[in-house]
Amino acid sequence: MLSGLCELCVNRKPETEWVDVAAGIPHLRIPQSQRSLWIPSRQRHNVLKPTQIQHLYNRFCQISGEYRPNQVQKYNFYSGLLSLNPLLPTILNCMFGEKNVITFVEFAIFLSTFQAHSLKTKRGVKNEGKDRKLSYLFNMYDHNKDGRITKVDLVIIVHKLFAHVMDHLQIMRIVDTMMIEMDGTDSNQISFNDFCKAFEVFDMAEMMVTFIPEFRGRSNDDGKSPKWFCWK
């Protein structure tokens, strides 16, 4: 799954086209329609540098196939290397929910959940990111979105991950082991609380992370500005 997130973040071809900056935001040239992205840093949940947000917007434009798009369709992701990822439908169902289109802000917020933290990241921000990551992961396992993970849900996700290297019997053994270890109520299903408790042995703030690159093209900013932009 992490490789799929990396592919969503990484721009395979350098993007050299810039869009005009919205008035009052000199550090980035982002369309007026995307100004809702910028809110005071004291309200932040995730923090990205302006150059990282510019990189994500370039990637957003590349996926949409349009110039200065306001939104991207789910089917736009089924192209190039992305289409080869067996977990792409699962990732997209989590990213899009019940919608067929998302805005750049929604695209960036989803990917920023998996952004690696720096040494300066505050504990509160890490905890919020960890909770959001666990919620996303649970929804990825919960195939039919009924608020619980059943054995069928586990079979679907494990089959997508390992069908090319394991036979059906091996997959079912993995599923049985996961169910035994994660089902804390012996109900033959995994609740969100069971899921979170099972992951307590891992430092989820530092696991399943990707590094969102920074855009290194021309800009009005000298690249040394300490100002960081954030969103809720």
Side-chain angles (χ1 to χ4, degrees):
M1 191 196 79
L2 186 57
S3 63
L5 294 170
C6 290
E7 289 167 3
L8 290 175
C9 292
V10 175
N11 196 350
R12 298 295 176 182
K13 296 180 181 179
E15 175 63 59
T16 57
E17 187 69 35
W18 283 89
V19 291
D20 293 335
V21 65
I25 307 177
H27 296 281
L28 274 180
R29 284 173 270 189
I30 294 294
Q32 181 75 24
S33 60
Q34 305 299 342
R35 287 198 62 188
S36 60
L37 180 65
W38 315 107
I39 66 172
S41 59
R42 63 180 177 275
Q43 299 178 23
R44 86 278 178 273
H45 281 236
N46 267 21
V47 181
L48 291 177
K49 293 179 181 179
T51 49
Q52 289 175 308
I53 294 175
Q54 180 67 62
H55 174 89
L56 286 180
Y57 185 71
N58 290 344
R59 182 62 174 141
F60 183 78
C61 294
Q62 184 188 41
I63 291 172
S64 72
E66 299 179 12
Y67 175 68
R68 298 177 64 175
N70 292 320
Q71 58 189 22
V72 65
Q73 304 274 348
K74 184 182 288 187
Y75 70 80
N76 290 132
F77 289 83
Y78 289 93
S79 62
L81 294 177
L82 283 174
S83 62
L84 302 178
N85 191 312
L87 284 181
L88 180 61
T90 303
I91 295 173
L92 293 182
N93 286 339
C94 184
M95 182 188 293
F96 280 78
E98 297 181 356
K99 299 181 292 185
N100 290 317
V101 298
I102 57 172
T103 65
F104 168 63
V105 175
E106 292 169 319
F107 172 80
I109 289 176
F110 177 83
L111 291 179
S112 72
T113 300
F114 301 91
Q115 161 73 353
H117 296 293
S118 72
L119 295 176
K120 296 181 180 180
T121 305
K122 294 182 179 180
R123 183 179 297 275
V125 175
K126 287 185 177 182
N127 289 337
E128 290 166 358
K130 178 188 69 174
D131 293 342
R132 194 158 58 250
K133 190 184 298 183
L134 285 170
S135 178
Y136 283 147
L137 288 175
F138 182 84
N139 286 330
M140 289 180 187
Y141 278 88
D142 182 12
H143 183 71
N144 61 359
K145 302 297 180 288
D146 62 353
R148 56 181 182 163
I149 299 173
T150 63
K151 197 169 185 176
V152 173
D153 293 325
L154 290 178
V155 169
I156 292 173
I157 196 77
V158 175
H159 186 272
K160 287 180 179 180
L161 285 171
F162 302 114
H164 62 296
V165 294
M166 294 183 179
D167 58 31
H168 179 70
L169 183 58
Q170 291 173 311
I171 289 175
M172 292 308 299
R173 286 175 179 169
I174 292 176
V175 168
D176 289 339
T177 301
M178 292 177 68
M179 184 60 72
I180 291 172
E181 292 183 352
M182 300 178 74
D183 179 13
T185 58
D186 295 325
S187 58
N188 206 32
Q189 62 186 23
I190 301 168
S191 67
F192 181 65
N193 288 336
D194 291 335
F195 187 82
C196 292
K197 188 173 181 179
F199 276 86
E200 285 180 353
V201 297
F202 305 107
D203 184 359
M204 290 304 296
E206 302 298 336
M207 292 191 67
M208 295 194 65
V209 297
T210 185
F211 293 90
I212 297 176
E214 295 185 45
F215 183 80
R216 295 300 184 183
R218 293 180 296 107
S219 137
N220 290 334
D221 190 8
D222 61 6
K224 299 179 181 179
S225 172
K227 188 172 184 179
W228 288 48
F229 292 95
C230 329
W231 58 75
K232 216 172 186 183

